[in-house]
Amino acid sequence: MSSPLHDESASALGQRWQSLSAPARLQWQQMAPRERVAAQLGLGALVLLLVWLLLLAPALRTLQQAPAKRAQLEAQLQEMQAMALEARELRALAPVPAPQARAALQAASDHLGSNARLVVTGERATLSLNGISPEALQAWLVEVRSAARARPVEAQLQRGPKGFNGSIVLTLGGVNP
């Protein structure tokens, strides 16, 4: 069921379309048959170009990039699975007695040289850094995690021109003898 208001707006829209398209229809009728064919071919070429640019080219680009993206995601998945396995293995390790954990932590920190200072207070240890390279810091973290079973609980690091500056707080979590 159509309302009178709807009929009036449709009629007004139809009249507006007629008034706007009348010059184009008149121009089309005045064109020679060869010009009409040329205009149709031009319009067809434009439509094909738009279909290519908007629909086909992006899809083909996605298909071309898919194998490389999949390989990248597979590599990330394998890396994450390796880290998860390492975390499970570390959780399964027996705790280290507190004196042994402190000694291992001190030995690992001594490898960093004079640019690092370790302070152990109870079950917590704080390492202050001044210009430690990323590689040295990573090696230190691996060593304290495996040898002392220490876990970082807080880190305040800034990267400077000579390396990392700041502090790392660890919990030893070992067992007392």
Side-chain angles (χ1 to χ4, degrees), residues 70-136:
R70 182 176 179 179
Q72 177 188 12
L73 291 173
E74 286 287 334
Q76 287 177 350
L77 176 64
Q78 288 176 357
E79 185 177 336
M80 290 174 66
Q81 287 173 337
M83 286 191 281
L85 178 63
E86 181 182 1
R88 280 192 299 275
E89 289 172 350
L90 287 172
R91 268 191 235 117
L93 292 174
V96 175
Q100 185 180 348
R102 285 186 186 93
L105 187 57
Q106 187 63 51
S109 301
D110 289 344
H111 292 131
L112 294 176
S114 62
N115 292 338
R117 187 173 55 91
L118 180 69
V119 176
V120 179
T121 308
E123 293 296 315
R124 292 210 171 219
T126 303
L127 179 74
S128 299
L129 308 168
N130 187 14
I132 300 296
S133 72
E135 296 81 15

Short mmCIF file of all heavy atoms in Angstrom, two decimals, residues 70-136:
data_model
loop_
_atom_site.label_atom_id
_atom_site.label_comp_id
_atom_site.label_asym_id
_atom_site.label_seq_id
_atom_site.Cartn_x
_atom_site.Cartn_y
_atom_site.Cartn_z
N ARG A 70 51.68 -16.54 5.10
CA ARG A 70 51.46 -17.80 5.82
C ARG A 70 52.77 -18.33 6.40
O ARG A 70 52.81 -18.79 7.54
CB ARG A 70 50.83 -18.83 4.90
CG ARG A 70 50.55 -20.11 5.62
CD ARG A 70 49.85 -21.12 4.79
NE ARG A 70 49.67 -22.31 5.60
CZ ARG A 70 49.08 -23.39 5.19
NH1 ARG A 70 48.56 -23.42 4.00
NH2 ARG A 70 48.98 -24.42 5.97
N ALA A 71 53.85 -18.25 5.61
CA ALA A 71 55.16 -18.70 6.10
C ALA A 71 55.59 -17.88 7.31
O ALA A 71 56.13 -18.42 8.29
CB ALA A 71 56.19 -18.62 4.99
N GLN A 72 55.34 -16.58 7.25
CA GLN A 72 55.70 -15.71 8.36
C GLN A 72 54.90 -16.08 9.61
O GLN A 72 55.45 -16.16 10.72
CB GLN A 72 55.43 -14.25 7.98
CG GLN A 72 55.70 -13.26 9.08
CD GLN A 72 55.25 -11.85 8.72
OE1 GLN A 72 54.53 -11.65 7.75
NE2 GLN A 72 55.65 -10.88 9.51
N LEU A 73 53.62 -16.32 9.44
CA LEU A 73 52.78 -16.69 10.58
C LEU A 73 53.16 -18.06 11.13
O LEU A 73 53.12 -18.28 12.34
CB LEU A 73 51.30 -16.65 10.18
CG LEU A 73 50.74 -15.26 9.91
CD1 LEU A 73 49.32 -15.37 9.35
CD2 LEU A 73 50.77 -14.41 11.15
N GLU A 74 53.53 -18.98 10.26
CA GLU A 74 53.99 -20.31 10.71
C GLU A 74 55.26 -20.17 11.56
O GLU A 74 55.40 -20.84 12.59
CB GLU A 74 54.25 -21.23 9.52
CG GLU A 74 53.01 -21.74 8.84
CD GLU A 74 52.28 -22.80 9.65
OE1 GLU A 74 52.91 -23.50 10.47
OE2 GLU A 74 51.05 -22.91 9.47
N ALA A 75 56.18 -19.32 11.11
CA ALA A 75 57.43 -19.10 11.86
C ALA A 75 57.12 -18.50 13.23
O ALA A 75 57.70 -18.91 14.25
CB ALA A 75 58.37 -18.20 11.08
N GLN A 76 56.19 -17.54 13.28
CA GLN A 76 55.81 -16.95 14.56
C GLN A 76 55.17 -17.99 15.46
O GLN A 76 55.43 -18.02 16.67
CB GLN A 76 54.84 -15.79 14.34
CG GLN A 76 55.48 -14.55 13.79
CD GLN A 76 54.45 -13.45 13.54
OE1 GLN A 76 53.24 -13.67 13.61
NE2 GLN A 76 54.94 -12.27 13.23
N LEU A 77 54.33 -18.85 14.90
CA LEU A 77 53.69 -19.90 15.68
C LEU A 77 54.73 -20.85 16.27
O LEU A 77 54.66 -21.20 17.45
CB LEU A 77 52.68 -20.67 14.82
CG LEU A 77 52.00 -21.87 15.50
CD1 LEU A 77 51.15 -21.41 16.68
CD2 LEU A 77 51.17 -22.64 14.49
N GLN A 78 55.69 -21.25 15.46
CA GLN A 78 56.73 -22.16 15.95
C GLN A 78 57.55 -21.50 17.06
O GLN A 78 57.90 -22.15 18.05
CB GLN A 78 57.63 -22.60 14.80
CG GLN A 78 56.96 -23.55 13.85
CD GLN A 78 57.85 -23.91 12.66
OE1 GLN A 78 58.94 -23.40 12.52
NE2 GLN A 78 57.34 -24.79 11.81
N GLU A 79 57.84 -20.22 16.91
CA GLU A 79 58.60 -19.50 17.93
C GLU A 79 57.79 -19.43 19.24
O GLU A 79 58.34 -19.66 20.32
CB GLU A 79 58.92 -18.09 17.44
CG GLU A 79 59.80 -17.30 18.37
CD GLU A 79 60.15 -15.93 17.80
OE1 GLU A 79 60.12 -15.74 16.58
OE2 GLU A 79 60.45 -15.05 18.63
N MET A 80 56.50 -19.16 19.12
CA MET A 80 55.66 -19.09 20.31
C MET A 80 55.53 -20.46 20.97
O MET A 80 55.52 -20.57 22.20
CB MET A 80 54.29 -18.53 19.96
CG MET A 80 54.34 -17.05 19.60
SD MET A 80 52.77 -16.41 19.02
CE MET A 80 51.77 -16.55 20.48
N GLN A 81 55.42 -21.52 20.16
CA GLN A 81 55.33 -22.86 20.73
C GLN A 81 56.63 -23.23 21.45
O GLN A 81 56.61 -23.87 22.49
CB GLN A 81 55.01 -23.87 19.64
CG GLN A 81 53.58 -23.78 19.16
CD GLN A 81 53.30 -24.67 17.96
OE1 GLN A 81 54.20 -25.04 17.22
NE2 GLN A 81 52.02 -25.00 17.75
N ALA A 82 57.77 -22.81 20.89
CA ALA A 82 59.05 -23.08 21.54
C ALA A 82 59.15 -22.34 22.87
O ALA A 82 59.63 -22.90 23.87
CB ALA A 82 60.20 -22.68 20.62
N MET A 83 58.68 -21.10 22.90
CA MET A 83 58.70 -20.34 24.16
C MET A 83 57.75 -20.97 25.18
O MET A 83 58.07 -21.02 26.38
CB MET A 83 58.32 -18.89 23.90
CG MET A 83 59.42 -18.08 23.24
SD MET A 83 59.10 -16.31 23.22
CE MET A 83 57.96 -16.17 21.85
N ALA A 84 56.61 -21.45 24.74
CA ALA A 84 55.67 -22.09 25.66
C ALA A 84 56.27 -23.37 26.22
O ALA A 84 56.13 -23.66 27.42
CB ALA A 84 54.36 -22.39 24.94
N LEU A 85 56.95 -24.13 25.38
CA LEU A 85 57.62 -25.35 25.85
C LEU A 85 58.69 -25.02 26.87
O LEU A 85 58.80 -25.67 27.92
CB LEU A 85 58.22 -26.11 24.66
CG LEU A 85 58.99 -27.38 25.01
CD1 LEU A 85 58.07 -28.42 25.65
CD2 LEU A 85 59.65 -27.95 23.77
N GLU A 86 59.47 -23.98 26.59
CA GLU A 86 60.53 -23.56 27.53
C GLU A 86 59.91 -23.12 28.86
O GLU A 86 60.42 -23.47 29.92
CB GLU A 86 61.34 -22.42 26.93
CG GLU A 86 62.46 -21.93 27.82
CD GLU A 86 63.23 -20.77 27.23
OE1 GLU A 86 62.89 -20.30 26.13
OE2 GLU A 86 64.18 -20.32 27.89
N ALA A 87 58.80 -22.40 28.80
CA ALA A 87 58.14 -21.97 30.04
C ALA A 87 57.64 -23.17 30.84
O ALA A 87 57.78 -23.20 32.07
CB ALA A 87 56.98 -21.03 29.70
N ARG A 88 57.06 -24.16 30.16
CA ARG A 88 56.60 -25.37 30.86
C ARG A 88 57.78 -26.10 31.49
O ARG A 88 57.68 -26.58 32.63
CB ARG A 88 55.86 -26.29 29.90
CG ARG A 88 54.43 -25.87 29.63
CD ARG A 88 53.63 -26.96 28.92
NE ARG A 88 54.16 -27.34 27.63
CZ ARG A 88 53.89 -26.72 26.48
NH1 ARG A 88 53.09 -25.68 26.47
NH2 ARG A 88 54.41 -27.14 25.35
N GLU A 89 58.89 -26.19 30.76
CA GLU A 89 60.06 -26.87 31.31
C GLU A 89 60.61 -26.13 32.52
O GLU A 89 61.01 -26.76 33.52
CB GLU A 89 61.14 -26.99 30.23
CG GLU A 89 60.81 -27.98 29.14
CD GLU A 89 61.80 -27.94 27.97
OE1 GLU A 89 62.65 -27.03 27.92
OE2 GLU A 89 61.71 -28.83 27.11
N LEU A 90 60.64 -24.80 32.47
CA LEU A 90 61.15 -24.03 33.60
C LEU A 90 60.23 -24.16 34.81
O LEU A 90 60.70 -24.21 35.96
CB LEU A 90 61.32 -22.56 33.21
CG LEU A 90 62.50 -22.26 32.29
CD1 LEU A 90 62.45 -20.82 31.81
CD2 LEU A 90 63.82 -22.54 32.99
N ARG A 91 58.91 -24.19 34.58
CA ARG A 91 57.99 -24.37 35.69
C ARG A 91 58.14 -25.73 36.35
O ARG A 91 57.89 -25.88 37.54
CB ARG A 91 56.55 -24.20 35.20
CG ARG A 91 56.06 -22.79 35.33
CD ARG A 91 54.57 -22.71 35.08
NE ARG A 91 54.36 -21.72 34.03
CZ ARG A 91 53.84 -21.96 32.84
NH1 ARG A 91 53.41 -23.14 32.54
NH2 ARG A 91 53.73 -21.01 31.96
N ALA A 92 58.53 -26.72 35.56
CA ALA A 92 58.65 -28.09 36.09
C ALA A 92 59.94 -28.30 36.87
O ALA A 92 60.06 -29.28 37.61
CB ALA A 92 58.58 -29.09 34.94
N LEU A 93 60.90 -27.40 36.72
CA LEU A 93 62.17 -27.55 37.43
C LEU A 93 61.98 -27.36 38.93
O LEU A 93 61.19 -26.53 39.37
CB LEU A 93 63.20 -26.54 36.92
CG LEU A 93 63.68 -26.75 35.48
CD1 LEU A 93 64.58 -25.59 35.07
CD2 LEU A 93 64.41 -28.07 35.35
N ALA A 94 62.74 -28.10 39.69
CA ALA A 94 62.69 -27.99 41.15
C ALA A 94 63.30 -26.66 41.57
O ALA A 94 64.24 -26.16 40.94
CB ALA A 94 63.45 -29.14 41.78
N PRO A 95 62.79 -26.06 42.65
CA PRO A 95 63.36 -24.80 43.12
C PRO A 95 64.80 -25.00 43.61
O PRO A 95 65.18 -26.08 44.03
CB PRO A 95 62.45 -24.37 44.25
CG PRO A 95 61.47 -25.46 44.47
CD PRO A 95 61.64 -26.48 43.40
N VAL A 96 65.54 -23.92 43.54
CA VAL A 96 66.94 -23.94 43.98
C VAL A 96 66.98 -23.40 45.41
O VAL A 96 66.29 -22.43 45.72
CB VAL A 96 67.79 -23.04 43.04
CG1 VAL A 96 69.20 -22.92 43.50
CG2 VAL A 96 67.74 -23.58 41.62
N PRO A 97 67.79 -23.99 46.27
CA PRO A 97 67.92 -23.45 47.64
C PRO A 97 68.37 -21.99 47.59
O PRO A 97 69.12 -21.58 46.71
CB PRO A 97 68.99 -24.33 48.29
CG PRO A 97 68.98 -25.59 47.48
CD PRO A 97 68.58 -25.20 46.09
N ALA A 98 67.90 -21.21 48.56
CA ALA A 98 68.14 -19.77 48.57
C ALA A 98 69.62 -19.40 48.47
O ALA A 98 69.98 -18.52 47.67
CB ALA A 98 67.50 -19.14 49.80
N PRO A 99 70.53 -20.02 49.25
CA PRO A 99 71.94 -19.63 49.14
C PRO A 99 72.51 -19.91 47.73
O PRO A 99 73.27 -19.11 47.18
CB PRO A 99 72.66 -20.48 50.19
CG PRO A 99 71.60 -20.88 51.15
CD PRO A 99 70.33 -20.95 50.36
N GLN A 100 72.11 -21.03 47.16
CA GLN A 100 72.57 -21.38 45.82
C GLN A 100 72.00 -20.40 44.79
O GLN A 100 72.68 -19.99 43.85
CB GLN A 100 72.18 -22.81 45.48
CG GLN A 100 72.72 -23.31 44.18
CD GLN A 100 72.30 -24.75 43.89
OE1 GLN A 100 71.78 -25.45 44.76
NE2 GLN A 100 72.52 -25.18 42.66
N ALA A 101 70.73 -20.01 44.95
CA ALA A 101 70.11 -19.05 44.04
C ALA A 101 70.81 -17.70 44.11
O ALA A 101 71.10 -17.08 43.09
CB ALA A 101 68.63 -18.89 44.38
N ARG A 102 71.13 -17.25 45.34
CA ARG A 102 71.83 -15.97 45.50
C ARG A 102 73.22 -16.03 44.84
O ARG A 102 73.64 -15.07 44.19
CB ARG A 102 71.95 -15.61 46.98
CG ARG A 102 70.67 -15.12 47.57
CD ARG A 102 70.87 -14.63 49.01
NE ARG A 102 69.61 -14.29 49.60
CZ ARG A 102 68.87 -15.12 50.33
NH1 ARG A 102 69.29 -16.35 50.58
NH2 ARG A 102 67.72 -14.73 50.82
N ALA A 103 73.90 -17.14 45.02
CA ALA A 103 75.25 -17.29 44.44
C ALA A 103 75.17 -17.29 42.90
O ALA A 103 75.98 -16.65 42.23
CB ALA A 103 75.90 -18.57 44.94
N ALA A 104 74.19 -17.99 42.36
CA ALA A 104 74.04 -18.02 40.90
C ALA A 104 73.67 -16.65 40.36
O ALA A 104 74.17 -16.21 39.32
CB ALA A 104 72.97 -19.05 40.51
N LEU A 105 72.83 -15.94 41.08
CA LEU A 105 72.43 -14.59 40.68
C LEU A 105 73.62 -13.64 40.73
O LEU A 105 73.82 -12.84 39.82
CB LEU A 105 71.30 -14.11 41.60
CG LEU A 105 70.63 -12.80 41.26
CD1 LEU A 105 70.05 -12.82 39.86
CD2 LEU A 105 69.55 -12.49 42.28
N GLN A 106 74.43 -13.75 41.78
CA GLN A 106 75.61 -12.90 41.89
C GLN A 106 76.62 -13.21 40.79
O GLN A 106 77.20 -12.30 40.19
CB GLN A 106 76.27 -13.08 43.27
CG GLN A 106 77.40 -12.12 43.54
CD GLN A 106 76.94 -10.67 43.57
OE1 GLN A 106 75.98 -10.33 44.26
NE2 GLN A 106 77.60 -9.82 42.82
N ALA A 107 76.81 -14.49 40.48
CA ALA A 107 77.75 -14.88 39.42
C ALA A 107 77.30 -14.36 38.07
O ALA A 107 78.10 -13.84 37.28
CB ALA A 107 77.90 -16.40 39.39
N ALA A 108 76.00 -14.46 37.79
CA ALA A 108 75.48 -13.96 36.52
C ALA A 108 75.64 -12.44 36.44
O ALA A 108 75.99 -11.89 35.39
CB ALA A 108 74.01 -14.35 36.36
N SER A 109 75.42 -11.76 37.56
CA SER A 109 75.53 -10.29 37.57
C SER A 109 76.97 -9.84 37.45
O SER A 109 77.24 -8.78 36.89
CB SER A 109 74.90 -9.74 38.85
OG SER A 109 73.54 -10.12 38.91
N ASP A 110 77.90 -10.62 37.96
CA ASP A 110 79.32 -10.28 37.84
C ASP A 110 79.76 -10.26 36.39
O ASP A 110 80.67 -9.51 36.02
CB ASP A 110 80.18 -11.26 38.64
CG ASP A 110 80.03 -11.06 40.15
OD1 ASP A 110 79.50 -9.98 40.56
OD2 ASP A 110 80.41 -11.96 40.90
N HIS A 111 79.12 -11.08 35.54
CA HIS A 111 79.46 -11.11 34.12
C HIS A 111 79.14 -9.79 33.42
O HIS A 111 79.69 -9.50 32.36
CB HIS A 111 78.74 -12.25 33.39
CG HIS A 111 79.21 -13.61 33.80
ND1 HIS A 111 78.34 -14.60 34.14
CD2 HIS A 111 80.45 -14.13 33.94
CE1 HIS A 111 79.01 -15.69 34.46
NE2 HIS A 111 80.30 -15.43 34.35
N LEU A 112 78.24 -9.00 34.00
CA LEU A 112 77.85 -7.73 33.39
C LEU A 112 78.89 -6.63 33.64
O LEU A 112 78.85 -5.60 32.99
CB LEU A 112 76.48 -7.28 33.90
CG LEU A 112 75.30 -8.16 33.52
CD1 LEU A 112 74.02 -7.66 34.18
CD2 LEU A 112 75.14 -8.23 32.01
N GLY A 113 79.78 -6.87 34.61
CA GLY A 113 80.85 -5.90 34.87
C GLY A 113 80.40 -4.79 35.80
O GLY A 113 79.43 -4.90 36.54
N SER A 114 81.13 -3.68 35.72
CA SER A 114 80.91 -2.57 36.65
C SER A 114 79.68 -1.74 36.30
O SER A 114 79.30 -0.86 37.08
CB SER A 114 82.15 -1.67 36.68
OG SER A 114 82.34 -1.11 35.38
N ASN A 115 79.06 -2.00 35.17
CA ASN A 115 77.87 -1.25 34.77
C ASN A 115 76.59 -1.80 35.38
O ASN A 115 75.51 -1.32 35.06
CB ASN A 115 77.73 -1.24 33.25
CG ASN A 115 78.82 -0.43 32.59
OD1 ASN A 115 79.42 0.42 33.22
ND2 ASN A 115 79.07 -0.69 31.33
N ALA A 116 76.72 -2.82 36.24
CA ALA A 116 75.55 -3.41 36.88
C ALA A 116 75.83 -3.59 38.36
O ALA A 116 76.95 -3.96 38.75
CB ALA A 116 75.22 -4.75 36.25
N ARG A 117 74.81 -3.30 39.20
CA ARG A 117 74.96 -3.45 40.65
C ARG A 117 73.77 -4.25 41.17
O ARG A 117 72.61 -3.89 40.91
CB ARG A 117 75.01 -2.08 41.31
CG ARG A 117 75.34 -2.12 42.79
CD ARG A 117 75.56 -0.72 43.34
NE ARG A 117 74.45 0.17 43.09
CZ ARG A 117 73.41 0.35 43.91
NH1 ARG A 117 73.35 -0.32 45.04
NH2 ARG A 117 72.45 1.18 43.60
N LEU A 118 74.04 -5.33 41.89
CA LEU A 118 73.01 -6.22 42.40
C LEU A 118 72.85 -6.01 43.90
O LEU A 118 73.83 -5.99 44.63
CB LEU A 118 73.37 -7.68 42.11
CG LEU A 118 72.39 -8.73 42.60
CD1 LEU A 118 71.10 -8.66 41.78
CD2 LEU A 118 72.99 -10.11 42.52
N VAL A 119 71.59 -5.88 44.34
CA VAL A 119 71.27 -5.78 45.77
C VAL A 119 70.21 -6.84 46.05
O VAL A 119 69.14 -6.82 45.45
CB VAL A 119 70.73 -4.37 46.13
CG1 VAL A 119 70.32 -4.33 47.59
CG2 VAL A 119 71.75 -3.31 45.82
N VAL A 120 70.54 -7.78 46.97
CA VAL A 120 69.62 -8.85 47.33
C VAL A 120 69.07 -8.57 48.72
O VAL A 120 69.83 -8.35 49.66
CB VAL A 120 70.32 -10.23 47.30
CG1 VAL A 120 69.35 -11.33 47.70
CG2 VAL A 120 70.92 -10.50 45.94
N THR A 121 67.73 -8.57 48.84
CA THR A 121 67.06 -8.34 50.11
C THR A 121 65.99 -9.40 50.27
O THR A 121 64.96 -9.34 49.59
CB THR A 121 66.40 -6.94 50.13
OG1 THR A 121 67.36 -5.97 49.76
CG2 THR A 121 65.84 -6.62 51.50
N GLY A 122 66.24 -10.36 51.12
CA GLY A 122 65.27 -11.43 51.34
C GLY A 122 65.05 -12.23 50.06
O GLY A 122 65.98 -12.75 49.46
N GLU A 123 63.79 -12.33 49.64
CA GLU A 123 63.43 -13.09 48.44
C GLU A 123 63.43 -12.22 47.19
O GLU A 123 63.02 -12.67 46.13
CB GLU A 123 62.04 -13.72 48.63
CG GLU A 123 61.99 -14.79 49.68
CD GLU A 123 62.86 -15.99 49.33
OE1 GLU A 123 62.81 -16.44 48.17
OE2 GLU A 123 63.60 -16.46 50.21
N ARG A 124 63.86 -10.97 47.31
CA ARG A 124 63.89 -10.06 46.17
C ARG A 124 65.31 -9.60 45.89
O ARG A 124 66.12 -9.46 46.79
CB ARG A 124 63.02 -8.83 46.42
CG ARG A 124 61.56 -9.19 46.48
CD ARG A 124 60.75 -8.05 46.02
NE ARG A 124 59.37 -8.48 45.86
CZ ARG A 124 58.60 -8.10 44.89
NH1 ARG A 124 59.04 -7.27 44.00
NH2 ARG A 124 57.37 -8.53 44.81
N ALA A 125 65.57 -9.38 44.61
CA ALA A 125 66.87 -8.87 44.19
C ALA A 125 66.61 -7.75 43.19
O ALA A 125 65.70 -7.84 42.36
CB ALA A 125 67.70 -9.97 43.54
N THR A 126 67.41 -6.69 43.27
CA THR A 126 67.28 -5.57 42.35
C THR A 126 68.61 -5.37 41.65
O THR A 126 69.66 -5.24 42.29
CB THR A 126 66.90 -4.28 43.11
OG1 THR A 126 65.70 -4.51 43.81
CG2 THR A 126 66.71 -3.13 42.14
N LEU A 127 68.55 -5.37 40.33
CA LEU A 127 69.74 -5.14 39.51
C LEU A 127 69.62 -3.75 38.90
O LEU A 127 68.65 -3.47 38.18
CB LEU A 127 69.86 -6.19 38.41
CG LEU A 127 71.07 -6.01 37.49
CD1 LEU A 127 72.34 -6.43 38.23
CD2 LEU A 127 70.91 -6.82 36.22
N SER A 128 70.58 -2.88 39.20
CA SER A 128 70.62 -1.55 38.60
C SER A 128 71.58 -1.58 37.43
O SER A 128 72.71 -2.06 37.56
CB SER A 128 71.08 -0.52 39.63
OG SER A 128 70.19 -0.50 40.72
N LEU A 129 71.13 -1.06 36.29
CA LEU A 129 71.91 -1.12 35.06
C LEU A 129 72.30 0.27 34.60
O LEU A 129 71.55 1.23 34.77
CB LEU A 129 71.08 -1.76 33.94
CG LEU A 129 70.42 -3.10 34.23
CD1 LEU A 129 69.42 -3.42 33.15
CD2 LEU A 129 71.47 -4.16 34.30
N ASN A 130 73.46 0.34 33.96
CA ASN A 130 73.90 1.59 33.37
C ASN A 130 74.68 1.28 32.10
O ASN A 130 75.87 0.97 32.16
CB ASN A 130 74.76 2.39 34.36
CG ASN A 130 75.09 3.76 33.82
OD1 ASN A 130 74.50 4.23 32.85
ND2 ASN A 130 76.05 4.42 34.46
N GLY A 131 74.01 1.32 30.96
CA GLY A 131 74.67 1.09 29.68
C GLY A 131 74.97 -0.36 29.39
O GLY A 131 76.06 -0.70 28.93
N ILE A 132 74.01 -1.24 29.62
CA ILE A 132 74.18 -2.68 29.35
C ILE A 132 73.61 -2.97 27.96
O ILE A 132 72.49 -2.57 27.64
CB ILE A 132 73.45 -3.53 30.41
CG1 ILE A 132 73.99 -3.24 31.80
CG2 ILE A 132 73.54 -5.02 30.09
CD1 ILE A 132 75.44 -3.62 32.00
N SER A 133 74.36 -3.70 27.15
CA SER A 133 73.91 -4.03 25.79
C SER A 133 72.70 -4.97 25.84
O SER A 133 72.55 -5.74 26.79
CB SER A 133 75.04 -4.67 24.99
OG SER A 133 75.26 -5.98 25.45
N PRO A 134 71.86 -4.92 24.81
CA PRO A 134 70.70 -5.82 24.78
C PRO A 134 71.10 -7.29 24.83
O PRO A 134 70.44 -8.10 25.49
CB PRO A 134 70.01 -5.49 23.46
CG PRO A 134 70.48 -4.12 23.10
CD PRO A 134 71.84 -3.99 23.69
N GLU A 135 72.18 -7.63 24.16
CA GLU A 135 72.62 -9.03 24.14
C GLU A 135 73.06 -9.48 25.53
O GLU A 135 72.74 -10.59 25.97
CB GLU A 135 73.77 -9.22 23.14
CG GLU A 135 73.39 -8.96 21.70
CD GLU A 135 73.38 -7.48 21.32
OE1 GLU A 135 73.94 -6.64 22.07
OE2 GLU A 135 72.78 -7.15 20.29
N ALA A 136 73.82 -8.62 26.24
CA ALA A 136 74.28 -8.96 27.59
C ALA A 136 73.10 -9.08 28.54
O ALA A 136 73.06 -9.99 29.38
CB ALA A 136 75.27 -7.91 28.09
#
